[in-house]
C-alpha cells in the first residue's frame, strides 16, 4: 500500500525501490503489480554489512532465487558481492545472460567499523575485489547528522566518488588481463 498509495505514493516518483525478501515471493509479486505498469524496478536486500546480520547463507540464496524468477522486475541486490552462482540447485547451470546490479552498503575510507556492529569496506574492496557496481556511503560522507558542514560533505563525497571510480578502473584492468 505504501508503494502504490498512501501519503507518499512511492511508485509514482521512485523508479527504483528496495525490498526485504523475508515475506517471500509475494512481496515481489505485490510490488510488481504496481511497478511493472509504471516501468519501475526493485532491488532485493540479499546481504547486509553489519556484524552478525541474518541476511546470509540460505536467506541470500532464497533472495537470489526469487530474483531470478522475477527478472522482469527485480534488477539487482543490496549485497556485499556479486550473486553469480549463488542459490543454484544441484545440476542447475548459471545463466550467462544474468547481470543483476549489486549496490553495496558499508563503504568507508577512514574506518573499518563503528563499535556498534557496522563493518566498513573500502571502495576498492567493494568494487574491484567483490565486483559490486555501486557503493552506498552514509556516515563517511555525512559525518555527524546533528552537525552537518556542507563544504565537508561535498569534500567527502568527492573523495568517495574518486575512490569508487578508481576501484572501477582497477576492476576493468583486471578483466583485460
Amino acid at each position: 500500500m505504501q508503494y502504490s498509495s498512501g501519503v507518499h505514493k512511492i511508485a509514482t516518483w521512485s523508479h527504483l525501490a528496495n525490498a526485504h525478501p523475508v515475506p517471500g515471493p509475494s512481496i515481489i509479486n505485490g510490488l510488481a503489480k504496481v511497478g511493472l505498469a509504471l516501468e519501475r524496478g526493485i532491488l532485493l536486500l540479499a546481504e547486509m554489512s553489519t556484524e552478525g546480520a541474518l541476511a546470509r547463507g540460505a536467506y541470500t540464496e532464497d533472495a537470489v532465487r526469487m530474483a531470478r524468477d522475477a527478472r522482469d522486475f527485480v534488477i539487482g541486490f543490496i549485497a556485499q558481492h556479486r550473486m553469480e552462482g549463488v542459490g543454484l540447485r544441484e545440476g542447475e547451470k548459471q545463466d550467462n545472460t544474468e547481470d543483476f546490479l549489486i549496490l553495496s552498503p558499508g563503504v568507508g575510507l577512514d574506518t573499518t567499523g563503528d563499535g556498534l556492529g557496522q563493518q566498513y569496506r573500502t571502495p576498492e574492496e567493494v568494487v574491484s575485489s567483490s565486483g559490486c557496481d555501486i557503493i552506498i556511503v552514509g556516515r563517511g560522507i555525512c559525518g555527524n547528522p546533528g552537525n552537518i558542514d556542507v563544504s565537508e560533505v561535498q569534500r567527502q563525497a568527492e573523495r568517495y566518488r574518486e575512490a569508487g571510480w578508481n576501484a572501477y578502473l582497477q576492476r576493468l584492468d583486471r578483466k583485460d588481463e
Side-chain angles (χ1 to χ4, degrees):
M1 293 303 292
Q2 295 173 18
Y3 189 59
S4 65
S5 55
V7 175
H8 300 293
K9 299 179 180 107
I10 296 167
T12 65
W13 55 268
S14 178
H15 292 263
L16 192 57
N18 62 59
H20 284 273
V22 170
S26 63
I27 189 68
I28 298 168
N29 297 335
L31 294 173
K33 283 183 181 178
V34 174
L36 280 173
L38 297 171
E39 298 182 335
R40 305 302 194 230
I42 63 165
L43 301 162
L44 289 182
L45 185 103
E47 297 176 313
M48 298 176 73
S49 57
T50 50
E51 183 179 4
L54 300 178
R56 59 190 163 124
Y59 171 95
T60 301
E61 292 176 6
D62 286 343
V64 173
R65 286 185 199 111
M66 284 183 243
R68 287 187 180 125
D69 290 341
R71 288 175 61 181
D72 59 339
F73 188 56
V74 179
I75 67 158
F77 303 97
I78 306 293
Q80 298 297 301
H81 67 285
R82 299 225 47 92
M83 294 292 136
E84 285 84 357
V86 173
L88 294 176
R89 293 187 171 90
E90 192 169 327
E92 192 176 12
K93 297 215 186 298
Q94 177 67 46
D95 179 350
N96 291 330
T97 65
E98 182 177 288
D99 191 22
F100 288 111
L101 282 174
I102 307 295
L103 287 75
S104 186
V107 177
L109 287 171
D110 303 317
T111 184
T112 59
D114 66 359
L116 300 172
Q118 179 62 32
Q119 302 173 107
Y120 297 110
R121 296 185 303 151
T122 66
E124 182 180 335
E125 290 170 305
V126 170
V127 176
S128 186
S129 300
S130 296
C132 299
D133 301 301
I134 297 173
I135 61 174
I136 300 173
V137 184
R139 284 180 263 179
I141 291 174
C142 296
N144 180 355
N147 187 20
I148 293 181
D149 176 346
V150 173
S151 63
E152 181 61 14
V153 168
Q154 291 170 330
R155 188 179 80 75
Q156 292 298 332
E158 179 57 29
R159 281 182 68 215
Y160 279 92
R161 186 202 61 77
E162 186 174 325
W165 181 251
N166 289 336
Y168 176 67
L169 293 176
Q170 271 185 344
R171 185 166 104 192
L172 291 179
D173 284 345
R174 279 195 215 146
K175 281 185 175 180
D176 291 339
E177 294 175 352

